[in-house]
């Protein structure tokens, strides 16, 4: 079950959901619009290795925008820091952004109970498009879960993405034991 606007507000009051900064104008009937932060990153290498740490180059998006090009993986970050201690957060691109040919989080839009961080966004584009810091980029839904959760992601010893970050975080697949 997806939480409604009123239920999201109730959960914020109960502190089981935290959104910083929070702006009530960004709250829709059953979702919250989140915004692109000031930073992007791109991988330095054209060929990536899933068993190795891949180095990224940080980009600060100027206020007059930054143009994204097809054929690259851009890692963005949300302005908003979120905590979801009892609900499953689900991030999805918004239609206005998709209609510009911007694909956001095609594979990593589901968080975990205990997600306490900004969101690193996987961004790719169909044609060149300019993006701006603070632009609406995606929406966040909150799902009610069934059953007791033993520990949230923020409490797991092997959580790879639990350190608070204001910048995009590269893949840590290389840390997996496989």
């Amino acid at each position: 079950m997806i939480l409604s606007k009123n239920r999201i507000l109730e959960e914020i009051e109960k502190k089981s959901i935290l959104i910083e900064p929070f702006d009530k104008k960004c709250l829709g009937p059953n979702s919250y619009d989140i915004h692109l932060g000031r930073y992007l990153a791109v991988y330095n290498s054209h060929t990536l290795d899933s068993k190795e740490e891949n180095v990224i180059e940080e980009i600060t998006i100027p206020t007059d925008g930054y143009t994204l090009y097809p054929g690259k993986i851009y890692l963005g970050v949300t302005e908003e820091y979120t905590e979801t201690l009892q609900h499953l957060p689900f991030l999805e691109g918004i239609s206005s952004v998709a209609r510009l040919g911007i694909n956001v989080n095609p594979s990593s839009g589901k968080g975990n109970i205990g997600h306490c961080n900004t969101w690193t966004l996987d961004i790719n584009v169909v044609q060149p498009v300019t993006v701006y810091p603070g632009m609406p980029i995606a929406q966040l839904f909150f799902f009610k879960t069934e059953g007791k959760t033993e520990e949230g992601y923020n409490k797991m010893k092997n959580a790879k993405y639990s350190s608070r970050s204001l910048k995009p975080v590269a893949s840590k697949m290389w840390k997996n034991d496989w």
Side-chain angles (χ1 to χ4, degrees):
M1 171 173 47
I2 298 173
L3 300 188
S4 68
K5 174 181 183 173
N6 290 338
R7 186 61 188 269
I8 293 168
L9 287 169
E10 288 171 13
E11 296 301 322
I12 289 171
E13 286 180 30
K14 290 180 4 185
K15 300 193 183 324
S16 68
I17 294 176
L18 173 70
I19 303 171
E20 291 179 343
F22 177 76
D23 183 346
K24 198 170 180 179
K25 291 184 292 192
C26 297
L27 195 55
N30 59 322
S31 65
Y32 186 84
D33 287 344
I34 58 175
H35 303 83
L36 184 61
R38 294 182 21 215
Y39 302 103
L40 293 171
V42 292
Y43 288 101
N44 284 348
S45 178
H46 181 70
T47 302
L48 304 177
D49 187 334
S50 57
K51 286 195 173 192
E52 299 291 328
E53 184 173 8
N54 295 284
V55 178
I56 58 174
E57 175 186 334
E58 184 182 295
I59 300 163
T60 301
I61 306 172
T63 55
D64 60 344
Y66 183 83
T67 302
L68 308 181
Y69 293 92
K72 277 192 170 279
I73 299 169
Y74 294 92
L75 301 177
V77 67
T78 60
E79 280 186 346
E80 291 82 2
Y81 169 87
T82 64
E83 291 184 5
T84 53
L85 303 177
Q86 297 174 7
H87 301 89
L88 175 74
F90 187 93
L91 185 137
E92 188 170 286
I94 55 177
S95 61
S96 295
V97 170
R99 291 174 187 167
L100 293 171
I102 302 171
N103 298 309
V104 177
N105 274 37
S107 63
S108 63
K110 294 162 203 72
N112 285 297
I113 292 173
H115 172 91
C116 299
N117 213 337
T118 54
W119 290 74
T120 293
L121 307 170
D122 311 326
I123 303 170
N124 56 61
V125 297
V126 176
Q127 66 188 56
V129 61
T130 303
V131 296
Y132 301 87
M135 69 181 275
I137 193 75
Q139 56 192 337
L140 202 51
F141 297 91
F142 302 94
F143 287 80
K144 180 179 177 181
T145 58
E146 295 289 327
K148 182 170 173 45
T149 301
E150 294 300 317
E151 64 181 346
Y153 186 78
N154 58 326
K155 305 284 187 202
M156 294 174 58
K157 288 183 171 75
N158 64 344
K160 297 182 298 224
Y161 303 102
S162 60
S163 297
R164 188 168 180 169
S165 176
L166 299 176
K167 298 182 179 179
V169 177
S171 172
K172 294 184 182 182
M173 172 66 93
W174 56 275
K175 287 188 169 190
N176 286 13
D177 185 22
W178 54 289

